[in-house]
Amino acid sequence: MSKIILGIESSCDETGAAILSRDGDKITILSNILSSSAELQSSFGGIFPEQAAREQLKLIIPIISQAMKKANVTKDSIDAIAVTQGPGLIGSLLIGVETAKTLSLVWQKPLIPINHLIAHFYPCWLQTPQPIFPFLGLLVSGGHTDLVVFKGHTKYDYLGGTRDDAAGECFDKCARLLDLPYPGGPQISKLGRDGNPNTYKLPVPMLGSKDFDFSFSGLKTSVANLVKNTPNINKSDLCASIEQTITKSLVTKALSAAKSQNLTTVILAGGVAANTTLRQTLEDSLKKEVPNSKLFIPPIELCTDNAVSTAANAFFTKPTKNPLEVEANPNLSLSH
Ligand code: KG4
Ligand code: ZN
């Protein structure tokens, strides 16, 4: 018997609904609807939370109904509702969580609250073969940069993370310094494609530290100083350099974590995992330095926020006992 889950995601500037089915081990996407107010946000140079939430309030019901129509399911065939509980913007999270609670009560369906940071890894369970525990998880998003050892679906140990800005945040802030629109990661990557990463030397943060922590705020400051002090800066070269520096920091720490924990399976996830330089460099370095390594990365289109990840994670997460008690939690993390 297959199981069908409706996933709802509204942690940041996107509104997503997806219907997934699971038959034995095989998980299939029946529909995946996503609307982002990124274009609107880019005119503000970043996310304007109030504006994002207003858009989501308008979109959430039409998007859920579109996802159900596309998947050709009615409420009767849905077995459970999954929703991003946090972390994220409180106004945005509330819209998804309160909508999911309402549907769960009215339709009498179990509600599965999902940690968005964990959900980022779960598009990998749509692949065959699926990842096998234990694995090292490197989560790189707009708000988080974490190294975590996953021992089971809901069992994990935190190894380290950023002490200040997240890698995605660093991409976004550097883009802003270069007058590039939000979100900055894809813009920097595009502009840097033909650039020379060695023209401008940027410090690779915390490369020599023995822990598994990161720091990206100093890099942003170095870029700000360079831009201020270099007339006619070559943006393409600088973008290549920013991308290479962030990649080096992430890959170096991930490799040393994998080695120190004797882990051969690694999953790279989160919005920044859409970066092709990072994907390729991690793959090449693991192949070279960790014997028998296996690297999983979600397909590029499922790295950034989406409801497929939320629903996929829900197949491995217990429903809540009391849906009415579920509350949006903007501070949910992997470190405690
Ligand atoms: O996971 P995500 O969609 O949202 C959060 O949960 O934060 O990540 C968004 C972040 C943004 O900082 C964006 O600039 C970055 O992911 N990003 C990228 C790329 N695509 C998205 N960074 C570098 N290269 C990309 N191709
Ligand atoms: Zn995310």
Side-chain angles (χ1 to χ4, degrees):
M1 249 291 270
S2 73
K3 191 174 172 190
I4 293 185
I5 289 186
L6 159 66
I8 299 172
E9 148 65 22
S10 68
S11 62
C12 198
D13 61 344
E14 73 306 298
T15 316
I19 310 271
L20 271 64
S21 75
R22 183 184 185 198
D23 211 338
D25 273 346
K26 191 170 166 40
I27 300 174
T28 310
I29 302 174
L30 303 183
S31 68
N32 174 23
I33 310 290
L34 191 67
S35 167
S36 162
S37 63
E39 224 168 89
L40 184 71
Q41 307 297 330
S42 82
S43 60
F44 304 117
I47 296 175
F48 187 48
E50 165 89 18
Q51 187 74 41
R54 280 168 191 250
E55 287 302 305
Q56 287 163 318
L57 197 51
K58 283 190 269 180
L59 289 169
I60 192 107
I61 297 294
I63 280 181
I64 292 170
S65 95
Q66 219 179 316
M68 289 172 67
K69 218 176 262 169
K70 181 115 188 267
N72 205 14
V73 299
T74 64
K75 66 175 172 49
D76 298 330
S77 36
I78 292 173
D79 295 295
I81 298 167
V83 66
T84 306
Q85 182 178 21
L89 303 169
I90 184 63
S92 296
L93 288 168
L94 275 171
I95 289 161
V97 168
E98 295 307 314
T99 304
K101 275 159 76 174
T102 309
L103 292 178
S104 151
L105 281 169
V106 176
W107 290 350
Q108 295 284 294
K109 307 283 178 187
L111 180 67
I112 309 175
I114 293 294
N115 180 332
H116 176 69
L117 304 176
I118 297 180
H120 266 301
F121 292 97
Y122 275 79
C124 293
W125 270 262
L126 300 168
Q127 303 173 13
T128 26
Q130 291 170 331
I132 292 173
F133 295 101
F135 66 83
L136 175 74
L138 171 58
L139 174 80
V140 218
S141 71
H144 294 81
T145 309
D146 294 315
L147 275 167
V148 182
V149 180
F150 282 89
K151 297 176 168 169
H153 286 293
T154 49
K155 235 175 118 193
Y156 54 87
D157 290 336
Y158 182 77
L159 285 183
T162 185
R163 294 186 180 177
D164 39 57
D165 291 353
E169 190 178 356
C170 182
F171 269 116
D172 295 339
K173 286 180 174 171
C174 290
R176 221 171 150 172
L177 291 167
L178 295 170
D179 293 322
L180 299 171
Y182 176 87
Q187 299 289 334
I188 289 193
S189 184
K190 201 165 128 198
L191 204 58
R193 199 164 299 151
D194 302 317
N196 177 357
N198 301 315
T199 306
Y200 303 109
K201 290 265 175 283
L202 293 168
V204 184
M206 297 186 69
L207 205 54
S209 73
K210 294 269 176 283
D211 51 36
F212 302 113
D213 286 348
F214 303 92
S215 162
F216 292 104
S217 69
L219 177 57
K220 171 205 64 194
T221 309
S222 302
V223 170
N225 289 336
L226 202 60
V227 170
K228 202 169 86 192
N229 300 323
T230 318
N232 302 320
I233 198 155
N234 184 317
K235 283 193 186 180
S236 179
D237 288 354
L238 181 55
C239 285
S241 186
I242 294 167
E243 190 180 52
Q244 182 179 271
T245 306
I246 294 176
T247 297
K248 188 157 187 194
S249 163
L250 294 170
V251 171
T252 306
K253 286 288 166 96
L255 251 71
S256 81
K259 287 178 195 167
S260 83
Q261 305 295 311
N262 288 320
L263 293 168
T264 50
T265 302
V266 177
I267 304 189
L268 168 67
V272 181
N275 185 282
T276 45
T277 302
L278 173 61
R279 296 168 82 95
Q280 195 59 54
T281 311
L282 184 58
E283 188 185 329
D284 294 346
S285 309
L286 272 171
K287 249 187 217 149
K288 215 160 77 192
E289 293 192 38
V290 179
N292 304 316
S293 64
K294 285 188 196 73
L295 174 64
F296 292 83
I297 316 176
I300 288 178
E301 67 280 7
L302 294 179
C303 285
T304 43
D305 295 345
N306 65 83
V308 169
S309 308
T310 317
N313 191 175
F315 286 114
F316 307 98
T317 313
K318 277 201 193 110
T320 178
K321 287 201 178 83
N322 187 351
L324 269 184
E325 278 176 11
V326 173
E327 282 183 22
N329 181 354
N331 302 318
L332 220 53
S333 83
L334 295 172
S335 60
H336 47 77

